[in-house]
Amino acid sequence: MPRDIAGLKGILPPIPTPFSNRDEFARDRLRDNIRAWNRSALTGYVVLGSNGEGVLLSPRERLDVLSAAREDIPDDRWMVAGTGCPSTHETVELARYAAKIGADVALVLPPSYYRGRMTREALVRHYASVADAAGIPILIYNMPACTGMDLDAETIVALAAHPNVIGIKDSGGDVVKLGAVHAALGARFRVFAGSAGFLLPALAMGAVGGILALANIAPAECLAIHEAFVSGRVDAARQIQLRMIPINAAVTSRWGVAGLKAAMDLLGRYGGPVRGPLVDLTEREIAELEAMLDRAGLTREEERGLRS
Amino acid sequence: MPRDIAGLKGILPPIPTPFSNRDEFARDRLRDNIRAWNRSALTGYVVLGSNGEGVLLSPRERLDVLSAAREDIPDDRWMVAGTGCPSTHETVELARYAAKIGADVALVLPPSYYRGRMTREALVRHYASVADAAGIPILIYNMPACTGMDLDAETIVALAAHPNVIGIKDSGGDVVKLGAVHAALGARFRVFAGSAGFLLPALAMGAVGGILALANIAPAECLAIHEAFVSGRVDAARQIQLRMIPINAAVTSRWGVAGLKAAMDLLGRYGGPVRGPLVDLTEREIAELEAMLDRAGLTREEERGLRS
Amino acid sequence: MPRDIAGLKGILPPIPTPFSNRDEFARDRLRDNIRAWNRSALTGYVVLGSNGEGVLLSPRERLDVLSAAREDIPDDRWMVAGTGCPSTHETVELARYAAKIGADVALVLPPSYYRGRMTREALVRHYASVADAAGIPILIYNMPACTGMDLDAETIVALAAHPNVIGIKDSGGDVVKLGAVHAALGARFRVFAGSAGFLLPALAMGAVGGILALANIAPAECLAIHEAFVSGRVDAARQIQLRMIPINAAVTSRWGVAGLKAAMDLLGRYGGPVRGPLVDLTEREIAELEAMLDRAGLTREEERGLRS
Amino acid sequence: MPRDIAGLKGILPPIPTPFSNRDEFARDRLRDNIRAWNRSALTGYVVLGSNGEGVLLSPRERLDVLSAAREDIPDDRWMVAGTGCPSTHETVELARYAAKIGADVALVLPPSYYRGRMTREALVRHYASVADAAGIPILIYNMPACTGMDLDAETIVALAAHPNVIGIKDSGGDVVKLGAVHAALGARFRVFAGSAGFLLPALAMGAVGGILALANIAPAECLAIHEAFVSGRVDAARQIQLRMIPINAAVTSRWGVAGLKAAMDLLGRYGGPVRGPLVDLTEREIAELEAMLDRAGLTREEERGLRS
């Protein structure tokens, strides 16, 4: 039985896929990370998003990672599975697999290789095929920095005409668009900030939460922004929000997954290496990142005893 | 004596320059418009911004419009004069003129024709020349839709190193940047949303107000968003904000000054014609605009008795 | 024994992958198409380029298509295999497979999903890994319309430092860059126009030929442009070139693979359906395309007896 | 009586406006430069183009520079006057002034400040107003690097419907577009390459010449490319073309007018300072430029005795 969509809100990290030094999926490391994150009030986890290096995994590995995550994620947390693939057929197959193993929601990136031909009609057709067949609700994943396509409000509203398309993670940062989408579709369509840099302004516009790379390394802070906002303490929310902007940029636009994994290593989680063509941070970059974590007030959880 | 910068906050419309049907500055129409706006609690007025068609005026007309506006704007309202010109020399001259006639602040667009050479250093030099000579404080005007240049946070912080550069009107919509600038410079640097579509999220990030085309036709609504926000009623602010998004897009990104002037005509202000190469709205577009004003709840002030 | 690179010049079509109406690889149709093309003096074929819908095939299908093409392509023609994949590991694997079955060259698209992190260094590392392991020479594939990344001259020169990187197919249309690359690297680096719209100007800058979607439907015309140019008849080359611009745009930037396949169907080859998320042309679009083919002087080969 | 448009071909430099060290128009320096250039077979001169810093001059200075140039340019050379201004009215006025003093052609940049509203219809209206009133033929000036707008082929063809719009200087580098425009309009519409980096490929597509910043410092080389091309020696043309690419980039995209003026100073012409917000080259940049001139084979005319 599908979960009540009203519960899909708050903070979810799109978790990295841990690799061993031999570039293999490090299954135990995933379990350790999820156990640690479970100590926070995170709503759930996104598996195989951009930070999960999903596009760099083989088809077999994708199934393995989803299955492993399903084992590790407790029943009271949401599991969102990234299932976007270049072809409609593959996307349907992966979403169906995700449904079969018990993922709650499929996160679907728009196919972008032939972006010049991805008209609104083509996208509606693609999402409808997936939403018809998946067996679980679909969350749109707008990620212009990776796809080179920025879904506009009209397109999002057109995609949402399918009853099984229940929301969006938007990483583009255009909060006016988020507001327009929320105004058009109301609370039944779940809008999530896709990057922690604009979590607070997105909430102000009607977003219900955030799917945030930063939540992997600063779950307490991301949760605190959300909680302060919903309890009417906008000034308190802003203070944390502003403090998070530089470190969020470091682990997203500036250094991406490699930066995020390095930060996890520095903070007592398992980050480990990225997979080529991505490149690990240099020693020098790691030192710079460490200083930024420090300025943001982020230290090993064990040392600060942060809970949320 | 310069005004206390702490008072520069709230809502200011960048007012259109009224032209007669013979394409001449319609001096009396300006007075009538300002008198009507004075019934609202607007902080002041921006004269010769993008909506003022400043770039389409002759040098002589620019002086005339600034002088006329100074006569019409009461002493308890701020007068911000748009003085950006392609050359540093002209920008200095116009800013000095603005200071001489009693404008409170000069709004300075970055020169953009040679944008490929507008390095951070060149911009620092330009703004420093103006800020040294103007005699009144300088507000940066970031307007990527018109200049094709988007000043980034580091550049804005570099420009703000000059003590006479006291804030920014940013029309680009990147609220993360607004947050980063505010975090770096604090309350001494006045951040204004440059378009009403993101007024609320900008306030959430630390902006002190908005310089908004929409405030020409919906002063009460813009003021109400600001007031609701500062009094802690974010939900109330959001309701008005979301309602304003479509009509704001109509009078900015979609139809620009011609749309704004047509809306003023429809709402009982004087809009009048735009100057070439701009093109007035067609009958059909005016009808569509009228329907949008209606949906946004904007009607003739006389009919709704809106006050703020 | 690898072929002499000096022979890699002239015209090669990046051939579509034919699908049956049940969306399966139509093996026989591929053979028929190649047999027909073999009647022209094409240098060879690119298999699994953008027009081959390579990114929409399963890993298994990719191997099948490459193997089938190898059977069908005569020994006196070059076989270039598209082997670009999102991960370095997969790209190496596919290039090695291509080498094993006897492809002459691997065409390698830069990985673009994490484009924000695809620094020159990351790209050099990726291409070097592939070039070290492939066992056949590597041709760079610059395709900004699909990848959202435009490799600049400096990056191309850096990639070409590897002795096994022997040239580029550049579809971006910046002929100044092609000239700069040719000037820097000389004739040992084979520059190919990646789209027929700029074949002649690319040849003028030093390109040795073209890898052209248009060559699937207008091999004689593409060959004639090349031949006229190398024999010093630039005016004759221009006449054909200008006539080809609109129809080339139709089967590339405007309608892409779906347009190309429809044109093949209209001209007596097998085009067949595209695979989702791509969408076949509508009846109306097909009629428009037919008129464009007619204006370009392209009709069924059987009817015009074109030879080159 | 207007000159025969068929003579408008070959190479024209868009000449810089010389300023004294006190930032005033250096009238005598202009005469000296033109006298020196007259020793080459240049077709004529463009005055107040982008390299003329036209947008940085006062209205009075623009008239002075045009009048001075008219005195200095011999009757057997074409004088093309840059007359693009932000407003239609000003553009008309300046074009009429240019006609009155005897300029042969007006070069008209599209107004770009309100680029979001510069629909094809608005541009057609603007150019028609200017073409109706100017009294001399109009050359369109497409300059995306400065205007942030790139006129497409359809728009250019629409503008060319006015019989007084006789050609284009296109600096964007899209040679496919140049070909499409030439194919649509034929020889009556004069297409000029707007930058020397793509002179040869533009000629291959049907351009009749180039309006080239580089022609200020390398007139012999630019003329030699053109001559070699029209006499069927494409290989010879290419050799010079490729050698010119780096130095052309230095005085255009990289360092712009400041680079061009510095190069003129190094080569025995008068370059002098640029006007703010432009910034002169540093000593270090000048040294780098000097080395580039040397590599391109460009030295003081006196030393090499180049004639064309």
Side-chain angles (χ1 to χ4, degrees):
Chain A
M1 198 188 72
R3 302 175 92 125
D4 181 2
I5 288 305
L8 188 58
K9 62 184 180 185
I11 306 298
L12 301 89
I15 63 177
T17 300
F19 300 117
S20 72
N21 287 330
R22 298 210 317 245
D23 198 26
E24 290 163 349
F25 170 40
R27 203 259 163 274
D28 293 351
R29 299 303 201 164
L30 180 68
R31 180 182 299 117
D32 295 344
N33 283 341
I34 291 178
R35 278 188 188 158
W37 286 317
N38 278 337
R39 292 197 295 268
S40 297
L42 296 164
T43 303
Y45 303 94
V46 173
V47 186
L48 299 188
S50 299
N51 283 298
E53 293 171 79
V55 301
L56 306 182
L57 302 185
S58 70
R60 179 74 250 159
E61 286 176 318
R62 271 176 224 154
L63 306 187
D64 289 347
V65 173
L66 288 180
S67 299
R70 181 62 284 181
E71 285 174 24
D72 299 342
I73 297 174
D75 284 346
D76 63 339
R77 311 278 175 132
W78 290 70
M79 175 174 166
V80 178
T83 70
C85 293
S87 77
T88 304
H89 178 75
E90 274 181 293
T91 307
V92 165
E93 287 299 295
L94 191 54
R96 288 170 66 93
Y97 180 85
K100 195 182 74 180
I101 64 156
D104 299 296
V105 172
L107 180 69
V108 179
L109 197 71
S112 61
Y113 187 73
Y114 299 101
R115 75 197 63 177
R117 292 292 293 154
M118 289 300 102
T119 57
R120 193 171 296 165
E121 185 212 335
L123 290 170
V124 164
R125 203 183 277 216
H126 175 78
Y127 275 90
S129 297
V130 181
D132 281 344
I136 45 176
I138 302 299
L139 202 60
I140 301 165
Y141 183 13
N142 188 44
M143 181 60 176
C146 287
T147 63
M149 287 169 55
D150 195 4
L151 302 179
D152 61 21
E154 287 75 18
T155 299
I156 296 165
V157 170
L159 300 180
H162 194 290
N164 205 25
V165 174
I166 54 109
I168 189 166
K169 159 176 159 67
D170 194 314
S171 301
D174 179 349
V175 291
V176 182
K177 179 171 68 182
L178 298 190
V181 167
H182 177 59
L185 298 172
R188 81 109 177 139
F189 190 78
R190 317 303 285 173
V191 174
F192 285 86
S195 185
F198 55 92
L199 174 57
L200 173 60
L203 294 171
M205 279 303 216
V208 294
I211 297 179
L212 312 170
L214 189 70
N216 287 294
I217 57 168
E221 285 75 9
C222 294
L223 288 160
I225 293 170
H226 183 248
E227 287 168 15
F229 177 81
V230 297
S231 61
R233 292 175 290 114
V234 175
D235 288 349
R238 181 189 313 119
Q239 285 194 354
I240 312 171
Q241 173 68 77
L242 295 181
R243 181 157 52 89
M244 291 299 113
I245 287 177
I247 186 63
N248 181 64
V251 300
T252 57
S253 54
R254 181 165 180 197
W255 284 318
V257 189
L260 178 61
K261 285 188 160 179
M264 289 175 64
D265 283 329
L266 289 166
L267 294 175
R269 297 284 84 77
Y270 181 80
V274 290
R275 179 168 277 188
L278 291 176
V279 177
D280 291 315
L281 261 54
T282 62
E283 289 297 317
R284 193 192 179 98
E285 288 169 334
I286 290 172
E288 189 181 347
L289 174 64
E290 191 162 19
M292 295 179 78
L293 289 167
D294 205 54
R295 274 197 297 279
L298 300 179
T299 51
R300 286 170 168 267
E301 193 185 305
E302 292 70 15
E303 293 162 13
R304 56 182 177 144
L306 256 177
R307 296 292 178 276
S308 56
Chain B
M1 197 188 75
R3 302 175 92 125
D4 182 0
I5 288 305
L8 188 59
K9 62 183 179 187
I11 306 298
L12 301 90
I15 62 176
T17 300
F19 298 117
S20 72
N21 286 330
R22 299 209 319 244
D23 198 26
E24 289 163 350
F25 170 40
R27 202 257 163 275
D28 292 352
R29 300 301 201 166
L30 180 68
R31 180 182 299 117
D32 295 344
N33 283 341
I34 292 178
R35 276 188 190 158
W37 286 318
N38 277 338
R39 293 198 294 269
S40 296
L42 297 164
T43 303
Y45 302 95
V46 173
V47 185
L48 300 189
S50 300
N51 283 298
E53 293 173 79
V55 302
L56 304 182
L57 302 185
S58 71
R60 178 73 250 161
E61 286 176 316
R62 270 175 226 153
L63 305 187
D64 289 347
V65 173
L66 289 179
S67 298
R70 182 63 284 180
E71 285 172 23
D72 299 341
I73 298 173
D75 284 347
D76 63 337
R77 312 276 175 133
W78 290 70
M79 174 174 167
V80 178
T83 69
C85 294
S87 77
T88 304
H89 178 74
E90 274 181 293
T91 307
V92 165
E93 288 298 296
L94 191 54
R96 289 171 66 94
Y97 180 85
K100 197 182 72 181
I101 63 157
D104 298 298
V105 172
L107 180 69
V108 179
L109 197 72
S112 61
Y113 188 74
Y114 299 101
R115 76 198 61 178
R117 292 293 293 156
M118 290 300 101
T119 58
R120 193 172 295 165
E121 186 212 338
L123 290 169
V124 164
R125 203 182 276 215
H126 175 78
Y127 275 90
S129 297
V130 181
D132 281 344
I136 45 176
I138 302 299
L139 202 60
I140 301 165
Y141 183 13
N142 188 44
M143 182 61 176
C146 288
T147 64
M149 288 168 54
D150 195 3
L151 302 178
D152 61 20
E154 288 73 18
T155 299
I156 295 164
V157 170
L159 300 180
H162 194 291
N164 205 25
V165 174
I166 55 108
I168 189 165
K169 160 176 160 64
D170 194 314
S171 301
D174 179 350
V175 291
V176 182
K177 179 171 68 181
L178 297 190
V181 166
H182 178 58
L185 297 172
R188 81 108 177 139
F189 190 78
R190 318 301 284 173
V191 174
F192 285 85
S195 186
F198 55 92
L199 174 58
L200 173 60
L203 294 171
M205 280 304 218
V208 294
I211 297 178
L212 311 170
L214 189 69
N216 287 293
I217 56 167
E221 286 75 7
C222 295
L223 288 161
I225 293 170
H226 184 248
E227 287 168 16
F229 177 81
V230 298
S231 62
R233 293 174 291 116
V234 175
D235 288 350
R238 181 189 312 118
Q239 285 193 355
I240 313 171
Q241 173 70 75
L242 295 181
R243 182 158 50 90
M244 291 299 114
I245 287 177
I247 186 62
N248 180 64
V251 299
T252 58
S253 53
R254 181 165 180 198
W255 284 318
V257 188
L260 179 60
K261 285 188 161 180
M264 288 175 65
D265 283 328
L266 288 167
L267 295 175
R269 297 284 86 77
Y270 181 79
V274 291
R275 180 167 278 188
L278 291 176
V279 177
D280 291 315
L281 261 54
T282 62
E283 289 297 317
R284 194 194 176 96
E285 289 169 333
I286 290 172
E288 189 181 347
L289 174 64
E290 191 162 18
M292 296 179 76
L293 288 167
D294 205 54
R295 275 198 295 279
L298 300 179
T299 51
R300 287 171 168 265
E301 193 184 305
E302 291 70 15
E303 293 163 12
R304 55 182 177 144
L306 258 177
R307 297 290 178 278
S308 54
Chain C
M1 197 186 73
R3 302 174 92 124
D4 181 1
I5 288 304
L8 188 59
K9 61 184 179 187
I11 307 297
L12 302 89
I15 62 177
T17 300
F19 298 117
S20 71
N21 287 329
R22 299 209 319 242
D23 198 25
E24 289 163 350
F25 169 41
R27 204 258 162 273
D28 292 351
R29 299 302 200 165
L30 180 68
R31 180 181 300 117
D32 295 344
N33 283 341
I34 291 178
R35 277 187 190 158
W37 287 316
N38 278 337
R39 293 197 294 269
S40 297
L42 297 164
T43 303
Y45 303 93
V46 173
V47 186
L48 299 189
S50 299
N51 283 298
E53 294 172 78
V55 301
L56 306 182
L57 302 184
S58 72
R60 179 72 252 160
E61 287 176 315
R62 270 175 225 155
L63 306 186
D64 289 348
V65 173
L66 289 179
S67 299
R70 182 62 285 181
E71 285 173 23
D72 299 341
I73 297 174
D75 284 348
D76 63 339
R77 312 275 175 134
W78 290 70
M79 174 174 167
V80 178
T83 69
C85 294
S87 78
T88 304
H89 178 74
E90 274 181 293
T91 307
V92 165
E93 288 298 297
L94 191 55
R96 290 171 65 93
Y97 180 84
K100 198 182 72 180
I101 64 156
D104 299 297
V105 173
L107 180 69
V108 179
L109 197 72
S112 62
Y113 188 74
Y114 299 101
R115 74 198 61 177
R117 292 293 292 155
M118 289 300 101
T119 58
R120 192 171 297 165
E121 185 212 336
L123 290 169
V124 165
R125 204 183 277 216
H126 174 78
Y127 275 90
S129 296
V130 182
D132 281 343
I136 45 175
I138 302 298
L139 202 60
I140 302 165
Y141 183 12
N142 187 45
M143 181 61 176
C146 288
T147 63
M149 286 168 55
D150 194 3
L151 303 179
D152 60 21
E154 289 73 19
T155 299
I156 295 164
V157 170
L159 300 180
H162 194 290
N164 204 25
V165 174
I166 53 107
I168 189 165
K169 160 175 159 65
D170 194 315
S171 300
D174 179 351
V175 290
V176 182
K177 179 171 69 181
L178 298 189
V181 166
H182 177 59
L185 298 172
R188 81 108 177 138
F189 190 79
R190 317 302 284 173
V191 173
F192 285 86
S195 186
F198 55 92
L199 174 58
L200 173 59
L203 294 171
M205 280 304 218
V208 294
I211 297 178
L212 311 171
L214 188 70
N216 287 293
I217 56 167
E221 286 75 8
C222 295
L223 288 161
I225 293 171
H226 184 247
E227 287 168 15
F229 177 82
V230 298
S231 61
R233 293 175 289 115
V234 175
D235 288 351
R238 182 190 311 118
Q239 285 193 355
I240 313 171
Q241 173 69 75
L242 296 181
R243 182 158 50 90
M244 291 299 114
I245 287 177
I247 186 63
N248 181 63
V251 299
T252 57
S253 53
R254 180 165 180 198
W255 284 318
V257 188
L260 179 61
K261 286 188 161 179
M264 289 175 64
D265 283 328
L266 288 167
L267 294 175
R269 299 283 85 77
Y270 181 80
V274 292
R275 179 167 278 189
L278 290 176
V279 177
D280 291 315
L281 260 54
T282 61
E283 288 298 317
R284 193 193 177 97
E285 289 168 333
I286 290 172
E288 189 182 346
L289 174 64
E290 192 162 18
M292 297 179 76
L293 288 167
D294 205 54
R295 275 197 296 279
L298 300 178
T299 51
R300 286 171 168 265
E301 193 184 306
E302 291 69 15
E303 293 163 13
R304 55 182 178 147
L306 259 176
R307 296 290 178 277
S308 54
Chain D
M1 198 187 72
R3 304 175 91 124
D4 181 0
I5 288 305
L8 188 59
K9 62 184 179 185
I11 306 298
L12 302 89
I15 62 177
T17 300
F19 299 117
S20 72
N21 286 329
R22 298 208 320 244
D23 198 25
E24 290 163 350
F25 170 41
R27 203 257 162 275
D28 292 351
R29 299 303 201 167
L30 179 67
R31 180 182 300 117
D32 296 345
N33 282 342
I34 291 179
R35 279 187 188 160
W37 286 317
N38 278 337
R39 292 197 296 267
S40 296
L42 297 164
T43 303
Y45 303 95
V46 173
V47 186
L48 299 188
S50 300
N51 283 298
E53 292 171 80
V55 302
L56 306 182
L57 302 184
S58 72
R60 179 74 251 159
E61 286 176 317
R62 270 175 225 155
L63 305 187
D64 290 347
V65 173
L66 288 179
S67 299
R70 181 62 285 182
E71 286 173 23
D72 299 341
I73 297 175
D75 284 346
D76 63 337
R77 312 277 176 132
W78 290 69
M79 175 173 167
V80 178
T83 69
C85 294
S87 77
T88 304
H89 178 74
E90 273 181 293
T91 306
V92 166
E93 288 298 297
L94 191 54
R96 289 170 66 93
Y97 180 84
K100 196 182 74 180
I101 63 156
D104 299 297
V105 173
L107 180 69
V108 179
L109 197 71
S112 62
Y113 188 74
Y114 300 101
R115 74 197 62 177
R117 292 292 293 152
M118 289 300 101
T119 58
R120 193 171 297 165
E121 185 212 336
L123 290 170
V124 164
R125 203 182 277 217
H126 175 78
Y127 275 90
S129 297
V130 181
D132 281 343
I136 45 175
I138 302 299
L139 202 59
I140 301 165
Y141 183 12
N142 187 44
M143 181 61 178
C146 288
T147 63
M149 286 167 55
D150 196 1
L151 302 179
D152 60 21
E154 287 74 19
T155 299
I156 294 165
V157 170
L159 300 180
H162 194 291
N164 205 24
V165 174
I166 54 110
I168 189 166
K169 160 176 160 66
D170 194 315
S171 301
D174 179 350
V175 291
V176 182
K177 180 172 68 182
L178 298 189
V181 166
H182 177 58
L185 297 172
R188 81 110 178 139
F189 190 79
R190 316 303 284 172
V191 174
F192 285 87
S195 186
F198 54 92
L199 174 57
L200 174 60
L203 294 171
M205 279 305 216
V208 294
I211 297 178
L212 311 170
L214 189 70
N216 287 293
I217 57 167
E221 285 75 8
C222 294
L223 288 160
I225 293 170
H226 183 249
E227 288 168 14
F229 178 80
V230 296
S231 60
R233 292 175 290 114
V234 175
D235 288 349
R238 182 190 311 118
Q239 285 193 356
I240 312 172
Q241 173 68 76
L242 295 182
R243 181 157 53 87
M244 291 299 113
I245 287 177
I247 186 64
N248 181 63
V251 300
T252 57
S253 54
R254 181 165 181 198
W255 284 318
V257 189
L260 178 61
K261 286 188 159 179
M264 288 175 65
D265 283 329
L266 288 166
L267 294 175
R269 296 284 84 77
Y270 181 79
V274 291
R275 180 168 277 187
L278 291 176
V279 177
D280 291 315
L281 261 54
T282 61
E283 289 297 317
R284 193 193 178 98
E285 289 168 334
I286 291 172
E288 190 181 346
L289 175 64
E290 191 162 19
M292 296 178 78
L293 289 167
D294 205 54
R295 275 198 296 278
L298 299 179
T299 51
R300 286 169 168 267
E301 193 186 305
E302 291 70 14
E303 293 163 13
R304 55 181 176 144
L306 256 178
R307 294 292 177 276
S308 56

